[in-house]
Amino acid sequence: MTAVTTYFSDVFKGLWTAMVGMSITLRYLFSKPVTEMYPDVKPKTPTRYRGIHVFEEEKCIGCYVCAKACPVDCIEIGVVRKGKEIKITKFDIDYQKCMFCDLCCEPCPAHCIHMGPEFEKASFTRRGTILQFATPKTLTEEEKKIEKIAKK
Amino acid sequence: MNELANFLPTVLSRSGLTVPSALIPVLAMFLCASIMAAFMGLSAAVLVWAERKLAGHFQCRLGPVYVGGKFGWLQSIADGIKLLLKEDIIPDQADRPLFRLAPYPVVIGVLLAFIAVPFSEKLMVTDFNIGVFFILAVLTVEVFGVILAGWASNNKWALLGAMRAAVQMVSYEIPMGLAILPVVVMAQSLSLKTIVAAQSGGALHWFVFQPPFFMAVSFLIFFIAGLASLKRAPFDLPEAESELTAGFHTEYSGMRFSFFFMAEYAGMLLVSAVASALYLGGWHGILPGQESVWWFLAKTGFLIFVMIWIRWTLPRLRIDQIVYVGWKVLTPFVLACVVGQSLWATLR
Amino acid sequence: MNSPGVTIDRDVKTDELVINMGPQHPSTHGVLRVILKTDGEICLDAQPEIGYLHRCAEKIAENLVYGQFVPYTDRMDYVSGMGCNLGYCLAVEQIAGIQAPLRAEYLRIIVTELNRIASHLLAFGTYGIDTGAITPFLYGFREREMILDLLEMLCGARLTYSYIRIGGVDGDVPPGFIDKLREFIDIFPGKIREYNKLLTFNHIFMKRTTGIGVLSPETAIAYGVTGPNLRGSGVRRDVRRDEPYSVYPKLEFDVPVGTTQHGGPLGDAWNRYYIRMKELEESTKILKQCVEQMPQGPIMAEKVGRVKPPAKTEGYMRSENARGELGFYVVSDGTMQPVRVKVRAPSFSNISVLPEIVRGQMLADVVAIIGSLDIVLGEIDR
C-alpha cells in the first residue's frame, strides 16, 4: 500500500470501526441492565455459600479440632467438662482474621459448624467484629476452675 | 436583549416601580446575564445527570437511582451540594493567586459564548453581526484557565495535562474555525441569526444536507474538533484519568473543581447548540414552516447524546495522534471543503 | 554585547522530569510504583518499585500444615485463585505421592479454565480503561459475573476459592451447575466476537497499542517472561502443552501466538492483548471438552488425611496460570509442615521486563504497556 491509500484507509477505518463500536453500545443502551439493586434486593446466595458461620451449640463436643484447623487462629473456644456433660462457654470467631476458607468446617467430628449464607457483618468497632456464638452462661465457681479456654 | 430593554419599562411601570431610563439597559443586561448563568448552571446539572444515566445504560447498569425518585433526577443537585460542602484545598506549594483565579476564565469563556447562541428567532441575548467569530474567539479563553490551573497546581500531572490542553487547543482551533467557513460562504454572513434564517424551509434546506455535501463533511469536522476543544473523550487527554490521574484539575477540590466540571458540560451544550445552528437548521423543524425553540433544543440534545455516546464507546487517542488527526486529517479535509464550497458558490 | 572575558550563565536548560507514578495511581493495577524519567511526554526510563503488598506468604507456609496453606495461595494471584490452588496442590501431591481421582482432575481443569477466562476478561476490561474506553470493562465484568456465579455455586466463594484441595477438590458439582456451564459455553463465543468488534479491532485502539512496547522473543526469554506475554512475542510455549499436567494431555486446544497480520510487529502491546482474547476462545473449547469427557467417580483421593510427605523430598511443579508459568517449589522434612515453599510468580518476571520495553515511548504508552503485561501485584509481592 502506498502512503496515500494508507492515509485514506486509516481515515475510513477510524470512522468505520468507531461506528461499529457505537452500534454495539447503542444496542446495549436499550437492553435490560444486568445489575442487582443490592441493598434493596438481597442477592440469593447459593447453598454452598461461605459466609458467616452457623454454629450448632448442642452438637458441639468442644474438641478444638476446628480451632486447630484454622490457618489464622481466629476461633476461641471455652469448654467446661464434667464427666460426660459438656458446656460450651465460649465460641468466638474473630472476623477480622477469618478468611472464610471453610477449613474449620471439614474436620468437625460432630458437624456442628457450617458456613452460613450471611455476609453482612460489618461493624464500627473492632470488638464488634468478634462474634460470640455460644449462648451466655453463668458459671459456678467450681465450673470456672475447670473451664478450659483454648485458642489452637 | 434589545427586546427585553424595550419590554422592561412596561413591566416596571405596571408593577409600579420607577426606574431611571438610563438604568433600563443595565437592568436588562443584568437580567440577561442572570438568566444565561442560571440556564448554564441548570443545563450543566441536567447534563451531568443525563451523562451518568446514559453511561449507566450504555454499560448495562442503571446509573443514579436513589436521589429524587426512581430515576435519580436530583443526583446532580446532591452532587452539587456535596461539592459545595467540601473543603477547598489549596496545596501548600501551589501558586495561590493563580490557583484561585484559574477556574474563572474557564467558566467565563463558556458563559460569554452563550450570548451569541440563537435559541430561536426571538430568544437570543444579542445578534452579533460576527456571532460565529465571537463564539470561537471567546471559547479560546477557556484554555487559559486550564493552563493556569495546571501551572499553578505545582503538580507534575497537572502540568502535563495543561501542556496537553495547550497542544490540543492549538491544533483544533484551526479546523474548527475553518469548518465554519463553508457555512459562512453559503449564508454570506457571520451572524448566527442570518445563518439559521438561511436554512428555513424544511430539513432539505439545512446546510448539512446541501449538495455537494462539503458542508456535511465540515459538520463532521466541526463536531470532532468541538469534542477536542471541549476535552471530551476520545480527546480527553488533558484530564486522562488512566494516565494523568485527573490531569489539570488533579489538585482542585470542592467548588473550584465543580467550576471546571460545569464548564465542560456547559461547553458541550454550547458546541452542540452552535453546531445545530450552523448546520442543522437551528430552530427550523423538519417540515417547512415549523419553527420553535424546541426544535433547536431537540437538535442540541441529540448532538449532546452523540457526544455522550462517543465518550462511552471509544478509547482515547495518544497526544501525537491527536496532533496528527488535527493537522493532517481534519485540516486538509476542511480546507478541501472550504475550497470546494467556495468554487461551488461562485460557479453556481 | 558579548564582551570577551565575560561568561554567560545560561539559566534556561531542559531537564528530565522525574514522575512518581503510583502506588496510588488509577492504572498501575494495584499498588505498583513506577518511577518515570520523562522528557516531556517521552519516557526515558521506568523503574518499577514493588513490595507494597508483601504479606510474607512464603514464610507463613513454613508455619502451617500443608493443607492450611491452600487459602493463602488464593491471595497471591487473587484474580485467578484457582490456578494458584492447582499449582500448589499439584506440587504437594507430587512430593507426597498422592493421585487425585479422574473426576477431580476434570473438575480442577474446569474451574481453572473458568478462572482463566475470568482473569482474561478482567485484563481485557482494565486494558480498555487504560486506553480510555470504559464500557468494555463493564461488558467484560458482565460475563465475568456469570463465571463468578458459577464458581460461587461450586465452592461458595467468589474470589478466594480454595476449592482445589490436596488430593482432590472441595465438593462435587451442585445440581444445575453443568447446565449453567453449558449455557455459558454457548453464549460466550458470541460475546468474544462482540469484544473484538468493540475494542480489539477499533482503529483508535489498534493505533494506540500496535507497535508500542515491543518485546523481542530473546528479551522475553532472557527475563523469564511467560504466559500470554511470551506468546505475544511469537514463542509457542505453554506448560499445558509442553509439560502437560492433570488431564491436559486428553484435551485438544491451540496455543495462540502473536501475529503480524493485523499490522503490528510481533510482541507489541496489541499482540499481548490479542493473545488473551484468543485464549478466551481456547479456554471455552477446553471447557466444552471437559464437560463432555468428565467421568463419574470420587472427587477426593482416599486416605489423604494429614499430608505428610517423606523426609528430604522436594518438588517443583509448574502450571500454566492465567498470567504465565506459576511454579511451586516445596521442600519437606518429613513433618506435617513444609520446610520451604517458594513461589515462582509469573507476574514478577513479567513486570521486570518493563524498563526494557518502555524506553522511548510516550507517557500514555507506559500505561498501555503496563496494562498489556497484565500484572497482579498480589502475586508479585506475595
Side-chain angles (χ1 to χ4, degrees), chain B residues 58-61 156-157 160 164 234 241-245 312-321, chain C residues 18-19 25-27 41 129-132 134-135 138-139 142 202 204 207-208 212 362-365 367:
Chain B
F58 274 129
Q59 300 174 342
C60 301
R61 298 186 285 121
K156 289 166 183 170
W157 300 116
L160 277 170
R164 283 179 175 191
E241 193 214 340
S242 58
E243 293 152 27
L244 304 182
T245 55
W312 298 104
T313 305
L314 296 182
R316 185 185 301 124
L317 277 79
R318 200 166 53 212
I319 188 71
D320 57 325
Q321 289 165 347
Chain C
V18 180
I19 305 182
H25 187 277
S27 52
E41 284 268 344
I129 289 193
D130 286 344
T131 52
I134 300 167
T135 304
L138 273 296
Y139 291 171
R142 188 183 56 200
N202 183 297
I204 300 176
K207 282 279 166 194
R208 271 296 302 276
I212 63 158
M362 312 275 291
L363 195 60
D365 294 337
V367 170

Side-chain angles (χ1 to χ4, degrees), chain B residues 276-319:
Chain B
S276 56
L278 286 176
Y279 302 96
L280 299 179
W283 60 77
H284 296 297
I286 290 173
L287 296 174
Q290 288 175 323
E291 281 184 21
S292 158
V293 65
W294 299 113
W295 279 108
F296 183 80
L297 289 180
K299 289 167 192 170
T300 311
F302 174 73
L303 289 183
I304 291 174
F305 170 74
V306 174
M307 282 184 176
I308 294 173
W309 184 11
I310 287 175
R311 173 167 178 191
W312 298 104
T313 305
L314 296 182
R316 185 185 301 124
L317 277 79
R318 200 166 53 212
I319 188 71

Side-chain angles (χ1 to χ4, degrees), chain C residues 280-356:
Chain C
L280 289 179
E281 292 167 22
E282 297 305 322
S283 291
T284 320
K285 249 195 255 173
I286 295 176
L287 280 176
K288 207 169 188 170
Q289 295 172 41
C290 281
V291 171
E292 280 162 14
Q293 294 176 11
M294 191 163 69
Q296 292 296 325
I299 50 148
M300 197 75 188
E302 282 170 26
K303 290 180 190 163
V304 174
R306 290 176 177 174
V307 183
K308 208 169 176 182
K312 286 182 185 166
T313 48
E314 54 183 56
Y316 178 75
M317 184 69 205
R318 47 185 177 169
S319 58
E320 186 75 16
N321 200 13
R323 263 150 212 86
E325 183 189 312
L326 175 74
F328 274 93
Y329 176 62
V330 184
V331 185
S332 160
D333 61 351
T335 59
M336 278 162 59
Q337 293 172 345
V339 172
R340 178 84 170 99
V341 172
K342 167 83 179 84
V343 187
R344 184 240 182 254
S347 294
F348 181 77
S349 308
N350 292 352
I351 193 65
S352 66
V353 82
L354 182 72
E356 284 287 319

Side-chain angles (χ1 to χ4, degrees), chain C residues 89 93 98-101 104 108 165-169 299-302 304:
Chain C
C89 292
E93 281 166 19
I98 300 167
Q99 177 59 49
R108 284 172 170 190
R165 301 287 165 87
I166 296 163
V169 291
I299 50 148
M300 197 75 188
E302 282 170 26
V304 174

